[in-house]
Amino acid sequence: MDDPRDPGFGSEELDPDAVLWVRGVDYVAGWREAKDAAAELTDALTMAGIEATGVQARADASADGDGVVHLRLSAATVRDAAALVRDFAAWREAC
């Protein structure tokens, strides 16, 4: 599930057969948290004027149940996001 070449990389569904389950670990809660975080990131990119149609954000859960988001972005999207972060850092430093 960690390989962007996997067919389900962009899937928004939790694949229970692709993980090793440990009793007592709430993987679904972590996955839900990651799914919400991925949606927030996509929305924020769009609000910032960055084309997010090519963004693939896949929710997952780590071995200890924490939410994890796997991103697959075009080089242009990464450059746009990096420029936005640099601009924000410069603005914050100036304040």
Side-chain angles (χ1 to χ4, degrees):
M1 282 179 65
D2 292 335
D3 187 346
R5 293 168 293 188
D6 285 346
F9 182 80
S11 175
E12 292 188 20
E13 298 299 320
L14 178 65
D15 183 359
D17 295 327
V19 295
L20 176 64
W21 297 91
V22 176
R23 185 181 306 264
V25 177
D26 189 358
Y27 296 101
V28 175
W31 173 81
R32 283 186 187 130
E33 179 183 358
K35 185 175 179 184
D36 292 344
E40 285 182 44
L41 176 63
T42 303
D43 290 345
L45 289 171
T46 301
M47 289 174 61
I50 296 175
E51 182 62 44
T53 56
V55 174
Q56 291 182 6
R58 183 180 55 85
D60 201 353
S62 67
D64 60 357
D66 289 337
V68 176
V69 178
H70 301 273
L71 296 174
R72 187 174 186 179
L73 311 166
S74 70
T77 300
V78 170
R79 286 188 182 104
D80 289 345
L84 182 67
V85 171
R86 278 193 302 274
D87 290 347
F88 175 74
W91 172 82
R92 193 166 129 183
E93 191 174 291
C95 288

